[in-house]
Coordinates of all heavy atoms in Angstrom, one line a residue:
Chain I
G11 N -0.1 9.8 -23.1 CA 1.1 9.0 -22.9 C 0.8 7.5 -23.2 O -0.2 7.1 -22.9
I12 N 1.7 6.9 -23.8 CA 1.7 5.4 -24.0 C 3.0 4.8 -23.5 O 4.1 5.1 -23.9 CB 1.6 5.1 -25.4 CG1 0.2 5.6 -26.1 CG2 1.6 3.6 -25.5 CD1 0.0 5.2 -27.5
A13 N 2.9 4.2 -22.3 CA 4.1 3.6 -21.7 C 3.9 2.1 -21.9 O 2.9 1.5 -21.7 CB 4.0 3.9 -20.2
D14 N 5.0 1.5 -22.3 CA 5.0 0.1 -22.6 C 6.4 -0.6 -22.1 O 7.2 0.1 -21.5 CB 4.7 -0.3 -24.1 CG 5.9 0.2 -25.0 OD1 6.6 1.0 -24.6 OD2 5.8 -0.3 -26.2
T15 N 6.5 -1.9 -22.3 CA 7.6 -2.6 -21.7 C 8.4 -3.4 -22.8 O 7.8 -3.9 -23.8 CB 7.1 -3.5 -20.6 OG1 6.4 -4.6 -21.2 CG2 6.4 -2.8 -19.6
T16 N 9.7 -3.7 -22.3 CA 10.3 -4.7 -23.4 C 10.1 -6.1 -23.0 O 10.3 -7.1 -23.7 CB 11.9 -4.4 -23.1 OG1 12.3 -4.8 -21.8 CG2 12.3 -3.0 -23.4
F17 N 9.3 -6.3 -21.8 CA 9.1 -7.7 -21.3 C 7.9 -8.2 -22.0 O 7.7 -9.4 -22.3 CB 8.7 -7.6 -19.8 CG 8.4 -8.8 -19.0 CD1 9.3 -9.6 -18.4 CD2 7.0 -9.3 -19.1 CE1 9.1 -10.7 -17.7 CE2 6.7 -10.4 -18.4 CZ 7.7 -11.3 -17.8
A18 N 6.9 -7.4 -22.3 CA 5.8 -7.9 -23.1 C 6.1 -8.5 -24.5 O 7.1 -8.2 -25.0 CB 4.8 -6.8 -23.4
R19 N 5.3 -9.4 -24.8 CA 5.6 -10.3 -26.0 C 4.8 -9.8 -27.3 O 4.7 -10.5 -28.2 CB 5.4 -11.7 -25.8 CG 6.2 -12.2 -24.5 CD 6.0 -13.8 -24.4 NE 6.2 -14.5 -25.5 CZ 5.7 -15.6 -25.9 NH1 4.8 -16.1 -25.1 NH2 5.8 -16.2 -27.1
F20 N 4.4 -8.5 -27.3 CA 3.6 -8.1 -28.4 C 3.6 -6.5 -28.4 O 3.8 -5.9 -27.2 CB 2.1 -8.4 -28.0 CG 1.1 -8.1 -29.2 CD1 1.0 -8.9 -30.3 CD2 0.5 -6.8 -29.3 CE1 0.1 -8.7 -31.3 CE2 -0.3 -6.6 -30.3 CZ -0.7 -7.4 -31.2
D21 N 3.6 -5.9 -29.5 CA 3.9 -4.4 -29.7 C 2.6 -3.8 -29.3 O 1.8 -3.2 -30.3 CB 4.4 -4.1 -30.9 CG 4.8 -2.6 -31.2 OD1 4.6 -1.9 -30.1 OD2 5.4 -2.2 -32.1
M22 N 2.2 -3.7 -28.0 CA 0.9 -3.1 -27.7 C 0.8 -1.6 -27.9 O -0.2 -1.2 -28.2 CB 0.8 -3.3 -26.0 CG 0.8 -4.8 -25.8 SD 0.9 -5.0 -23.8 CE -0.8 -4.7 -23.3
A23 N 1.9 -1.0 -27.9 CA 2.0 0.5 -28.1 C 1.5 0.8 -29.6 O 0.8 1.8 -29.8 CB 3.3 1.0 -27.8
A24 N 2.0 -0.1 -30.6 CA 1.5 0.1 -31.8 C 0.1 0.0 -32.1 O -0.5 0.9 -32.7 CB 2.4 -0.7 -32.9
A25 N -0.5 -1.0 -31.4 CA -2.0 -1.2 -31.5 C -2.7 -0.1 -30.9 O -3.7 0.4 -31.4 CB -2.3 -2.5 -30.8
A26 N -2.2 0.4 -29.7 CA -2.9 1.4 -29.0 C -2.8 2.9 -29.8 O -3.9 3.5 -30.1 CB -2.2 1.8 -27.7
A27 N -1.6 3.1 -30.5 CA -1.5 4.3 -31.3 C -2.5 4.3 -32.5 O -3.1 5.2 -32.8 CB -0.1 4.5 -31.6
D28 N -2.4 3.1 -33.2 CA -3.2 2.9 -34.3 C -4.7 3.1 -34.1 O -5.4 3.8 -34.8 CB -3.0 1.5 -34.9 CG -3.8 1.3 -36.1 OD1 -3.6 1.9 -37.1 OD2 -4.8 0.5 -36.0
E29 N -5.2 2.5 -33.0 CA -6.6 2.6 -32.5 C -7.0 4.0 -32.2 O -8.1 4.5 -32.5 CB -6.9 1.6 -31.4 CG -8.4 1.5 -31.2 CD -9.2 0.9 -32.4 OE1 -8.6 0.0 -33.0 OE2 -10.3 1.4 -32.6
L30 N -6.0 4.7 -31.4 CA -6.4 6.0 -31.0 C -6.6 7.1 -32.3 O -7.6 7.7 -32.2 CB -5.2 6.7 -30.1 CG -5.2 6.2 -28.6 CD1 -3.7 6.6 -28.1 CD2 -6.3 6.8 -27.9
K31 N -5.7 6.8 -33.2 CA -5.9 7.7 -34.4 C -7.1 7.3 -35.2 O -7.8 8.3 -35.7 CB -4.6 7.5 -35.3 CG -3.4 8.1 -34.8 CD -2.2 7.7 -35.5 CE -0.9 8.2 -34.7 NZ 0.3 7.3 -35.0
K32 N -7.7 6.1 -35.0 CA -9.0 5.8 -35.7 C -10.1 6.6 -35.0 O -11.1 6.7 -35.7 CB -9.2 4.3 -35.6 CG -8.3 3.5 -36.6 CD -8.8 2.1 -36.7 CE -7.8 1.1 -37.5 NZ -8.0 -0.3 -37.2
Q33 N -10.0 6.8 -33.7 CA -11.1 7.4 -33.0 C -11.3 8.8 -33.3 O -12.3 9.4 -33.0 CB -10.9 7.2 -31.6 CG -10.6 5.8 -31.0 CD -11.9 5.1 -31.4 OE1 -13.1 5.5 -31.2 NE2 -11.8 3.9 -32.1
G34 N -10.2 9.6 -33.9 CA -10.4 10.9 -34.1 C -9.2 11.7 -33.9 O -8.1 11.1 -33.7
G35 N -9.2 13.1 -33.8 CA -8.0 13.9 -33.7 C -8.0 14.5 -32.3 O -8.6 14.1 -31.4
G36 N -7.1 15.6 -32.2 CA -7.2 16.5 -31.0 C -6.1 16.0 -30.1 O -6.2 16.5 -28.9
F37 N -5.2 15.1 -30.4 CA -4.3 14.6 -29.5 C -2.9 14.5 -30.0 O -2.8 14.2 -31.3 CB -4.8 13.5 -28.7 CG -4.9 12.2 -29.6 CD1 -3.7 11.4 -29.9 CD2 -6.0 12.0 -30.3 CE1 -3.8 10.3 -30.7 CE2 -6.2 11.0 -31.1 CZ -5.1 10.1 -31.3
T38 N -1.9 14.4 -29.2 CA -0.5 13.9 -29.7 C -0.2 12.8 -28.7 O -0.7 12.7 -27.6 CB 0.6 15.0 -29.5 OG1 0.5 15.6 -28.2 CG2 0.4 16.2 -30.5
I39 N 0.7 12.0 -29.2 CA 1.1 10.8 -28.3 C 2.4 11.0 -27.9 O 3.4 11.4 -28.6 CB 1.0 9.4 -29.3 CG1 -0.5 9.2 -29.4 CG2 1.7 8.4 -28.6 CD1 -0.8 8.0 -30.5
V40 N 2.8 10.6 -26.6 CA 4.1 10.6 -26.0 C 4.4 9.3 -25.7 O 3.8 8.6 -24.7 CB 4.1 11.6 -24.9 CG1 5.7 11.6 -24.4 CG2 3.7 13.0 -25.2
R41 N 5.5 8.6 -26.4 CA 5.9 7.3 -26.1 C 6.9 7.2 -25.0 O 7.8 8.0 -24.8 CB 6.5 6.6 -27.4 CG 5.4 6.2 -28.3 CD 4.6 5.0 -28.1 NE 5.6 3.8 -27.6 CZ 6.2 3.0 -28.4 NH1 5.9 3.0 -29.6 NH2 7.0 2.0 -27.9
Y42 N 6.9 6.0 -24.2 CA 7.8 5.8 -23.2 C 8.0 4.3 -22.9 O 7.0 3.6 -22.6 CB 7.4 6.5 -21.9 CG 8.6 6.7 -20.7 CD1 8.7 8.0 -20.2 CD2 9.4 5.7 -20.4 CE1 9.7 8.2 -19.2 CE2 10.5 5.9 -19.5 CZ 10.5 7.1 -18.9 OH 11.5 7.3 -18.0
T43 N 9.2 3.8 -23.2 CA 9.3 2.2 -22.9 C 10.3 2.0 -21.8 O 11.3 2.7 -21.7 CB 10.1 1.7 -24.2 OG1 9.1 1.9 -25.3 CG2 10.1 0.1 -24.1
V44 N 9.8 1.1 -21.0 CA 10.6 0.7 -19.7 C 10.9 -0.8 -19.8 O 10.2 -1.5 -20.5 CB 9.9 1.1 -18.4 CG1 9.8 2.6 -18.4 CG2 8.5 0.5 -18.4
P45 N 11.7 -1.3 -18.9 CA 11.9 -2.9 -18.9 C 10.7 -3.6 -18.7 O 10.2 -4.4 -19.4 CB 13.0 -3.0 -18.0 CG 13.8 -1.6 -18.0 CD 12.7 -0.7 -18.2
G46 N 10.0 -3.5 -17.4 CA 9.0 -4.2 -16.9 C 7.8 -3.4 -16.4 O 7.9 -2.3 -16.2
I47 N 6.7 -4.1 -16.0 CA 5.6 -3.5 -15.4 C 5.8 -2.8 -14.2 O 5.3 -1.8 -13.9 CB 4.3 -4.5 -15.3 CG1 4.6 -5.7 -14.4 CG2 3.9 -4.9 -16.7 CD1 3.4 -6.5 -14.1
K48 N 6.8 -3.2 -13.4 CA 7.1 -2.5 -12.1 C 7.7 -1.1 -12.4 O 7.8 -0.3 -11.6 CB 8.0 -3.4 -11.3 CG 7.2 -4.4 -10.5 CD 8.0 -5.1 -9.4 CE 9.3 -5.7 -9.7 NZ 9.8 -6.6 -8.7
D49 N 8.2 -0.9 -13.6 CA 8.8 0.4 -14.0 C 7.7 1.3 -14.6 O 8.0 2.6 -14.9 CB 9.9 0.1 -15.0 CG 10.9 -0.8 -14.5 OD1 11.5 -0.6 -13.4 OD2 11.3 -1.8 -15.1
L50 N 6.5 0.8 -14.8 CA 5.4 1.6 -15.4 C 5.0 2.7 -14.6 O 4.8 3.9 -15.1 CB 4.3 0.8 -15.8 CG 4.5 -0.1 -17.1 CD1 3.3 -1.0 -17.3 CD2 4.6 0.7 -18.3
P51 N 4.9 2.6 -13.3 CA 4.4 3.8 -12.5 C 5.3 4.9 -12.6 O 5.0 6.1 -12.6 CB 4.3 3.2 -10.9 CG 4.0 1.8 -11.2 CD 4.8 1.3 -12.4
A52 N 6.8 4.7 -12.5 CA 7.7 5.8 -12.5 C 7.6 6.4 -14.0 O 7.6 7.7 -14.1 CB 9.1 5.3 -12.3
A53 N 7.4 5.6 -14.9 CA 7.3 6.2 -16.3 C 6.1 7.1 -16.4 O 5.9 8.2 -17.0 CB 7.1 5.2 -17.3
C54 N 4.9 6.7 -15.8 CA 3.7 7.5 -15.8 C 3.9 8.8 -15.0 O 3.3 10.0 -15.5 CB 2.6 6.7 -15.2 SG 2.1 5.3 -16.2
T55 N 4.6 8.7 -13.9 CA 4.9 10.0 -13.1 C 5.7 10.9 -13.9 O 5.3 12.1 -14.1 CB 5.7 9.6 -11.9 OG1 5.0 8.6 -11.1 CG2 6.0 10.9 -11.0
I56 N 6.6 10.4 -14.7 CA 7.4 11.2 -15.7 C 6.5 11.8 -16.8 O 6.6 13.0 -17.2 CB 8.6 10.6 -16.1 CG1 9.6 10.3 -14.9 CG2 9.4 11.2 -17.2 CD1 10.7 9.2 -15.2
L57 N 5.6 10.9 -17.3 CA 4.8 11.4 -18.4 C 3.8 12.5 -17.9 O 3.4 13.3 -18.6 CB 4.0 10.3 -19.0 CG 4.8 9.3 -19.8 CD1 4.0 7.9 -20.1 CD2 5.2 10.0 -21.2
F58 N 3.4 12.4 -16.7 CA 2.5 13.5 -16.1 C 3.3 14.7 -15.7 O 3.0 15.8 -16.2 CB 1.7 12.9 -14.9 CG 0.7 12.1 -15.2 CD1 0.4 10.9 -14.5 CD2 -0.3 12.3 -16.2 CE1 -0.6 9.9 -14.8 CE2 -1.4 11.4 -16.5 CZ -1.4 10.3 -15.8
D59 N 4.4 14.5 -15.0 CA 5.1 15.7 -14.4 C 6.0 16.4 -15.5 O 6.0 17.7 -15.5 CB 5.9 15.3 -13.2 CG 5.0 14.8 -12.1 OD1 3.8 15.0 -12.1 OD2 5.6 14.4 -11.1
E60 N 6.8 15.7 -16.2 CA 7.7 16.3 -17.2 C 7.1 16.5 -18.5 O 7.4 17.4 -19.1 CB 8.9 15.5 -17.2 CG 9.7 15.4 -15.8 CD 11.0 14.6 -15.9 OE1 11.5 14.4 -17.1 OE2 11.5 14.2 -14.9
Q61 N 6.3 15.6 -19.0 CA 5.7 15.6 -20.4 C 4.3 16.1 -20.4 O 3.7 16.2 -21.4 CB 5.8 14.2 -20.9 CG 7.2 13.6 -21.1 CD 7.9 14.3 -22.2 OE1 7.4 14.8 -23.2 NE2 9.2 14.5 -22.1
R62 N 3.8 16.5 -19.1 CA 2.5 17.0 -19.1 C 1.4 16.3 -19.8 O 0.5 16.9 -20.5 CB 2.6 18.5 -19.6 CG 3.2 19.5 -18.4 CD 3.5 20.8 -19.0 NE 4.5 20.8 -20.3 CZ 4.2 21.1 -21.5 NH1 2.8 21.7 -21.7 NH2 5.1 21.0 -22.4
C63 N 1.3 15.1 -19.7 CA 0.4 14.3 -20.4 C -0.9 14.4 -19.6 O -1.0 14.8 -18.4 CB 0.7 12.9 -20.5 SG 1.9 12.5 -21.7
D64 N -2.1 14.3 -20.3 CA -3.4 14.4 -19.7 C -3.8 13.1 -19.2 O -4.9 13.0 -18.5 CB -4.4 15.0 -20.8 CG -4.0 16.5 -21.1 OD1 -4.0 17.4 -20.2 OD2 -3.4 16.7 -22.2
I65 N -3.4 11.9 -19.9 CA -3.9 10.7 -19.5 C -2.8 9.8 -20.0 O -2.0 10.1 -20.9 CB -5.2 10.3 -20.2 CG1 -5.9 9.1 -19.6 CG2 -5.0 10.2 -21.7 CD1 -7.3 8.9 -20.1
V66 N -2.6 8.5 -19.5 CA -1.7 7.6 -19.8 C -2.3 6.2 -20.1 O -3.1 5.7 -19.2 CB -0.5 7.4 -18.8 CG1 0.5 6.3 -19.4 CG2 0.3 8.8 -18.7
L67 N -1.9 5.5 -21.1 CA -2.1 4.1 -21.4 C -0.9 3.3 -20.9 O 0.2 3.5 -21.4 CB -2.5 3.8 -22.8 CG -3.8 4.1 -23.2 CD1 -3.9 4.1 -24.7 CD2 -4.8 2.9 -22.7
A68 N -0.9 2.6 -19.8 CA 0.1 1.8 -19.3 C -0.1 0.5 -19.8 O -0.9 -0.4 -19.3 CB 0.2 1.9 -17.8
L69 N 0.7 -0.1 -20.6 CA 0.6 -1.4 -21.3 C 1.6 -2.3 -20.9 O 2.9 -2.1 -21.0 CB 0.8 -1.2 -22.8 CG 0.0 0.0 -23.4 CD1 0.4 0.3 -24.9 CD2 -1.4 -0.2 -23.3
G70 N 1.2 -3.6 -20.5 CA 2.1 -4.5 -20.0 C 1.6 -6.0 -20.0 O 0.3 -6.2 -20.3
M71 N 2.5 -6.8 -19.9 CA 2.2 -8.4 -19.8 C 2.5 -8.9 -18.5 O 3.5 -8.4 -17.9 CB 3.0 -9.0 -21.0 CG 2.4 -10.5 -21.2 SD 3.4 -11.4 -22.3 CE 4.7 -12.0 -21.1
V72 N 1.7 -9.9 -18.0 CA 2.0 -10.5 -16.8 C 2.3 -12.0 -17.1 O 1.4 -12.6 -17.6 CB 0.7 -10.4 -15.8 CG1 1.1 -11.1 -14.5 CG2 0.3 -8.9 -15.6
G73 N 3.4 -12.4 -16.6 CA 3.9 -13.7 -16.9 C 3.1 -14.8 -16.2 O 2.3 -14.5 -15.4

Side-chain angles (χ1 to χ4, degrees):
Chain I
I12 297 183
D14 65 349
T15 69
T16 64
F17 182 93
R19 302 182 53 211
F20 188 89
D21 189 355
M22 301 169 82
D28 180 67
E29 189 65 38
L30 280 170
K31 286 166 192 160
K32 285 186 186 168
Q33 300 303 311
F37 64 90
T38 53
I39 288 173
V40 185
R41 283 284 312 272
Y42 198 132
T43 303
V44 293
I47 56 175
K48 289 197 287 189
D49 305 309
L50 287 172
C54 293
T55 304
I56 292 166
L57 285 168
F58 285 134
D59 292 354
E60 298 183 15
Q61 295 291 330
R62 288 171 296 117
C63 286
D64 297 288
I65 194 167
V66 176
L67 277 162
L69 312 172
M71 189 187 89
V72 182

